[in-house]
Amino acid sequence: MKLASAIDEFLLYMGSVKGLSENTVIGYKNDYILLLELLGHDRELDDIVREDLNVCIGELSKLKRKSTSINRFISSMRTLFSYCHKFGYIKTNPALSLKTVKISKLMPRFMTESEVETLCAMPEKNELLWESRDKALFEMLFSSGCRVSELAGLKISDFNGGIDRAIVRGKGNKDRVVYFGEAAQKAFLEYLKDRKKLIIEKGLDPKNIQNVFVNQNGTALTTGGIRFILSRYTGVEGTKHHINPHAFRHTFATQLLSNGCDVRVVQELLGHSSISTTQRYTHVTTEKLIETYRNAFPHSK
């Protein structure tokens, strides 16, 4: 079997049988496009050995790819060749003993309370796109700690018994409940009024529009669309301080831990499968505490 054919089969398997999200499958696909470019589209699976894969990793280093990108590429190769070995397409797995590269630990980027307030006020202040929708987006991202993909996929039916909470589907197709504070609820209600007006004006059937957040054509807002909206409000027309949607999630976690919330509760709210992922934020709060101490107490310097 040729490498290209094995990749096509594997991607179909991951999307249909394993039920991975579209974004995850696209991530795998991008890594395999690069693999095919480096090894050749006509390469036979049986001809690939560990040295070939090490050459690919070396090429990524020459291209100055980030360590996280290289490790994701290695993980993608491991998964692909493990699949091929499991189903008997290859006798030995050339990716089995590949080693990942060392990653320097970076603290998650989070916003201060004043930065969050400034950003959430931007839609009303600047009127760049769709005021009520954009304010609701920012408030709900911050209040819930949702991933941007989770908020993009939020449906009207996911709100059961009120607007203060909703069920979202996270990584691994795991459902969890997220909560929205008063500011987020207020912004959400204002947006729903405008959303209804738009649907009527466009002559659309509300039953066919299940996604909560839509664009100005009445179709579902994508994760890319949300990133674009945020880039407008944090660009030269707005705060002039670019951030990505994940900064809301980092800020949500950091504030909870700074205010004494148990790390296990934060883990549940964020939908982390491993407590070690959540514990990154405890380091952030510790660093923040030390910085505050040094700034406030002269003799600490």
Side-chain angles (χ1 to χ4, degrees), residues 251-301:
T251 306
F252 170 82
T254 304
Q255 288 211 0
L256 285 177
L257 289 167
S258 296
N259 290 318
C261 187
D262 186 270
V263 68
R264 293 285 180 183
V265 175
V266 179
Q267 178 190 7
E268 184 71 23
L269 292 171
L270 291 175
H272 286 159
S273 57
S274 171
I275 189 68
S276 62
T277 307
T278 315
Q279 285 174 332
R280 290 185 307 160
Y281 298 104
T282 62
H283 300 309
V284 175
T285 53
T286 301
E287 290 291 326
K288 185 178 178 183
L289 178 64
I290 293 171
E291 182 183 355
T292 302
Y293 169 73
R294 286 175 177 167
N295 290 335
F297 190 61
H299 287 281
S300 68
K301 302 175 184 179

Side-chain angles (χ1 to χ4, degrees), residues 110-121:
F110 65 93
M111 295 178 281
T112 63
E113 288 185 35
S114 61
E115 286 177 323
V116 173
E117 290 175 3
T118 299
L119 184 52
C120 288

Side-chain angles (χ1 to χ4, degrees), residues 74-142:
I74 293 171
S75 175
S76 295
M77 288 196 293
R78 284 175 176 169
T79 310
L80 170 66
F81 286 101
S82 175
Y83 169 86
C84 293
H85 185 258
K86 178 181 178 181
F87 287 94
Y89 299 147
I90 52 178
K91 293 180 180 179
T92 57
N93 183 350
L96 194 61
S97 57
L98 288 177
K99 294 182 179 179
T100 55
V101 297
K102 187 176 180 179
I103 300 177
S104 57
K105 293 184 178 180
L106 298 175
M107 291 296 183
R109 167 73 173 95
F110 65 93
M111 295 178 281
T112 63
E113 288 185 35
S114 61
E115 286 177 323
V116 173
E117 290 175 3
T118 299
L119 184 52
C120 288
M122 274 293 155
E124 296 171 300
K125 181 180 177 181
N126 287 26
E127 300 180 358
L128 289 174
L129 299 168
W130 183 349
E131 178 185 322
S132 62
R133 179 202 61 189
D134 301 342
K135 183 173 178 60
L137 265 174
F138 298 163
E139 291 284 4
M140 292 173 77
L141 274 172
F142 174 56

Side-chain angles (χ1 to χ4, degrees), residues 57-271:
I57 296 168
E59 288 297 319
L60 294 183
S61 296
K62 289 179 183 177
L63 293 171
K64 298 189 183 301
R65 295 292 179 91
K66 293 181 179 179
S67 298
T68 51
S69 297
I70 294 175
N71 283 343
R72 189 196 64 226
F73 179 78
I74 293 171
S75 175
S76 295
M77 288 196 293
R78 284 175 176 169
T79 310
L80 170 66
F81 286 101
S82 175
Y83 169 86
C84 293
H85 185 258
K86 178 181 178 181
F87 287 94
Y89 299 147
I90 52 178
K91 293 180 180 179
T92 57
N93 183 350
L96 194 61
S97 57
L98 288 177
K99 294 182 179 179
T100 55
V101 297
K102 187 176 180 179
I103 300 177
S104 57
K105 293 184 178 180
L106 298 175
M107 291 296 183
R109 167 73 173 95
F110 65 93
M111 295 178 281
T112 63
E113 288 185 35
S114 61
E115 286 177 323
V116 173
E117 290 175 3
T118 299
L119 184 52
C120 288
M122 274 293 155
E124 296 171 300
K125 181 180 177 181
N126 287 26
E127 300 180 358
L128 289 174
L129 299 168
W130 183 349
E131 178 185 322
S132 62
R133 179 202 61 189
D134 301 342
K135 183 173 178 60
L137 265 174
F138 298 163
E139 291 284 4
M140 292 173 77
L141 274 172
F142 174 56
S143 180
S144 65
C146 278
R147 299 178 178 92
V148 63
S149 58
E150 293 168 348
L151 202 64
L154 193 63
K155 305 288 192 299
I156 295 294
S157 58
D158 292 330
F159 289 87
N160 187 10
I163 61 169
D164 65 331
R165 68 192 66 188
I167 297 174
V168 297
R169 177 154 292 183
K171 289 185 177 181
N173 288 330
K174 294 180 180 178
D175 292 343
R176 75 178 189 283
V177 178
V178 297
Y179 301 90
F180 304 105
E182 291 183 7
Q185 292 175 46
K186 182 179 178 181
F188 185 41
L189 286 174
E190 289 299 317
Y191 161 63
L192 287 179
K193 294 176 186 176
D194 289 343
R195 180 182 181 276
K196 184 177 180 180
K197 289 178 184 177
L198 176 76
I199 292 172
I200 294 173
E201 289 173 0
K202 295 291 182 180
L204 303 172
D205 186 353
K207 294 180 181 178
N208 295 330
I209 306 173
Q210 288 299 308
N211 282 70
V212 170
F213 288 102
V214 297
N215 57 33
Q216 297 188 24
N217 293 320
T219 56
L221 195 62
T222 64
T223 56
I226 295 176
R227 289 191 177 94
F228 169 76
I229 291 168
L230 185 57
S231 71
R232 288 290 301 274
Y233 287 104
T234 59
V236 293
E237 300 166 288
T239 63
K240 299 179 182 179
H241 187 63
H242 282 286
I243 63 165
N244 61 50
H246 222 61
F248 283 101
R249 185 170 162 86
H250 292 325
T251 306
F252 170 82
T254 304
Q255 288 211 0
L256 285 177
L257 289 167
S258 296
N259 290 318
C261 187
D262 186 270
V263 68
R264 293 285 180 183
V265 175
V266 179
Q267 178 190 7
E268 184 71 23
L269 292 171
L270 291 175

Side-chain angles (χ1 to χ4, degrees), residues 1-16:
M1 177 183 280
K2 292 190 181 296
L3 175 61
S5 299
I7 288 172
D8 289 339
E9 181 183 312
F10 174 73
L11 291 174
L12 182 62
Y13 171 80
M14 297 302 275
S16 57

